[in-house]
Amino acid sequence: MAKTNRITVAAPVVELDGDEMARIVWRAVKETLILPYLDVELEYFDLGIENRDATGDRVTVDAAHAVGRRGAGVKCPTITPDEARVEEFGLKAMYRSPNLTIRGILGGVLFREPVVVPGLPRPVPGWTEPVVIARHACGDRATELRVPGEGTLTLAFTPKDGAEPVELEVYDFPGPGVALATYDLDASVRDFARTAFRYGLERGCPVHLSTKNVSLKKYDGRCKALFQEVYDAEFQADFERAGLVYEHCGADAMAREVFKRPGGFVWACRSHDADVFSGIVAQGFGSPGLMTSVLLTADGRTLLAEAGHGTVTRHYRQYQQGGAAATDPVGSLFAWTRALAHRGALDGTPEVTAFARTLEQTCVETVEGGQMTRDLAQLTGPDRSWLTTEQFLAAVDENLGRKRAASV
């Protein structure tokens, strides 16, 4: 039910719906904590696997362009089908990840950050501040090949300016195997660097870049050099004034070093490293359900927020069998708040941004006060009582109502 005195959101937010349990939780968050408090137009796209199949995945492309046009979007986790999913849903094709399609259109950098709840036990107790993983959204694109048999693999480049072609022998295959060629652009890496440095400045956090430049001297070495170039020319003075630092180290060294620090920094990673390290960070802070995921373009104008977990298939199967929804909705809630805060900043409507920040604070305080869903309750002990998804959202709603009433 809509509350009185709803806050008006000046421009639309693009909503990208998703799959399975995440879709159920998504709707509950929206109906309990977003629409009752905000008068907001949602430009809706259904990225559920059935609709993506019905549209030949055109809906994903249309949704990405809508986010770019509006500047603010919020996305529910979606299925990336494998062979089993193709058979399960009777799909016409094994569609690529919607996130890959969207990132390819929007570009930018993906920031994955945990929600820190004071007092909640975490597997890495020394992490008291967020470890923010910055993933290059467009970097390290690849073309793969299944090598059928004996033969020579070469890598060739033909310049368009008429210069001599370059051809390198990669490997002389004695039999069947596989091959992979990856690529990146200087301009894209520079944007990656600018976005990471700007994010660090805005958050008051140092920035660390990790690469495999020792073994990939040209590929990752170029990334290291471009980051340093951008830092020296555009950000060093601002970082020094703010008392912040930037440094590069090897990926293996950084993976060890991160456990010695309390957090509170941006860790810029090559694309595949970021996928691995963000999973480690999620577990280190307690749960993938506490991870946020924000795609931010280099110019800072366009933001797409998403819960940092998957579609929670196991919970969905239990839900289909009549079980109560007990999935942690914190990640989905924070996806909405991050998108709304950005919408407020774009439109010059601080009341929208303030509402988003208040809702985030209320959510954290609700968990800190002992009201939480099952996966978080298990962090505190095997016998800890827990709330269903709906009960938890109702508790946040009640606490939010009291907070807003007290501020009037």
Side-chain angles (χ1 to χ4, degrees):
M1 181 179 296
K3 308 293 195 280
T4 58
N5 301 319
R6 288 196 301 166
I7 299 169
T8 299
V9 181
V13 173
V14 181
E15 179 190 0
L16 285 60
D17 211 346
D19 288 295
E20 298 188 320
M21 202 65 226
R23 188 182 181 103
I24 304 298
V25 172
W26 189 261
R27 184 172 63 244
V29 170
K30 180 173 67 172
E31 293 179 352
T32 304
L33 294 169
I34 305 302
L35 297 183
Y37 291 95
L38 300 176
D39 181 7
V40 56
E41 178 185 347
L42 298 175
E43 188 172 347
Y44 179 84
F45 292 86
D46 184 359
L47 267 60
I49 189 63
E50 293 94 341
N51 193 48
R52 282 156 50 207
D53 188 52
T55 64
D57 211 26
R58 180 68 205 181
V59 64
T60 305
V61 175
D62 292 342
H65 285 296
V67 174
R69 184 174 65 254
R70 298 296 192 182
V74 58
K75 179 181 176 295
C76 178
T78 47
I79 289 172
T80 298
D82 55 12
E83 291 86 350
R85 292 294 203 165
V86 170
E87 182 177 352
E88 177 185 349
F89 291 98
L91 304 179
K92 297 190 288 286
M94 191 185 302
Y95 301 102
R96 69 186 309 206
S97 163
N99 290 335
L100 287 179
T101 298
I102 293 166
R103 293 169 198 162
I105 292 170
L106 296 179
V109 176
L110 193 66
F111 294 95
R112 292 171 174 163
E113 176 181 351
V115 177
V116 179
V117 180
L120 187 68
R122 58 184 70 95
V124 184
W127 286 348
T128 56
E129 298 291 333
V131 176
V132 182
I133 302 292
R135 182 192 192 276
H136 192 191
C138 295
D140 307 327
R141 299 291 180 83
T143 298
E144 56 185 343
L145 170 69
R146 182 170 181 178
V147 177
E150 185 178 358
T152 301
L153 179 71
T154 61
L155 182 66
F157 174 72
T158 304
K160 287 193 174 181
D161 62 3
E164 284 294 317
V166 178
E167 184 171 306
L168 302 173
E169 182 175 321
V170 177
Y171 187 63
D172 189 13
F173 278 83
V178 291
L180 181 72
T182 63
Y183 60 94
D184 211 333
L185 295 172
D186 283 4
S188 181
V189 175
R190 287 190 179 98
D191 280 347
F192 177 22
R194 291 187 182 101
T195 309
F197 290 138
R198 190 178 298 117
Y199 194 90
L201 275 175
E202 290 174 355
R203 296 290 300 272
C205 294
V207 175
H208 303 274
L209 170 68
S210 67
T211 71
K212 300 181 182 71
N213 67 299
V214 174
S215 55
L216 297 172
K217 291 180 171 59
K218 294 181 180 178
Y219 196 95
D220 276 22
R222 184 60 175 162
C223 177
K224 175 188 174 184
L226 290 172
F227 256 73
Q228 192 66 52
E229 173 189 299
V230 170
Y231 177 75
D232 292 344
E234 303 176 31
F235 290 93
Q236 183 174 5
D238 289 337
F239 263 60
E240 290 178 350
R241 276 193 293 270
L244 302 175
V245 298
Y246 160 66
E247 64 178 8
H248 166 273
C249 68
D252 53 346
M254 190 64 198
R256 295 189 299 269
E257 183 68 22
V258 67
F259 292 102
K260 304 175 184 177
R261 303 188 182 192
F265 59 88
V266 175
W267 182 2
C269 303
R270 304 298 285 172
S271 299
H272 303 300
D273 285 353
D275 287 338
V276 174
F277 294 141
S278 63
I280 293 172
V281 169
Q283 288 302 134
F285 276 93
S287 168
L290 291 176
M291 288 294 284
T292 65
S293 181
V294 169
L295 179 66
L296 186 64
T297 56
D299 60 6
R301 178 189 175 274
T302 301
L303 180 146
L304 176 64
E306 181 181 20
H309 56 73
T311 59
V312 204
T313 304
R314 180 172 57 86
H315 287 192
Y316 186 58
R317 298 297 184 229
Q318 296 169 354
Y319 179 80
Q320 287 177 310
Q321 295 170 8
T327 304
D328 180 12
V330 173
S332 293
L333 189 155
F334 270 69
W336 280 100
T337 56
R338 296 292 159 93
L340 289 165
H342 185 70
R343 180 78 272 166
L346 287 178
D347 300 337
T349 52
E351 64 277 12
V352 175
T353 300
F355 169 79
R357 299 305 183 215
T358 299
L359 180 52
E360 289 183 359
Q361 181 184 10
T362 304
C363 178
V364 170
E365 290 173 352
T366 301
V367 176
E368 190 177 6
Q371 296 174 292
M372 63 194 78
T373 50
R374 179 168 47 198
D375 64 326
L376 298 184
Q378 290 172 345
L379 294 173
T380 65
D383 300 323
R384 178 67 180 264
S385 62
W386 50 270
L387 304 178
T388 66
T389 303
E390 290 186 354
Q391 289 170 337
F392 175 76
L393 292 175
V396 175
D397 186 31
E398 182 179 351
N399 293 337
L400 180 63
R402 282 201 294 264
K403 189 182 291 286
R404 283 166 57 84
S407 66
V408 174

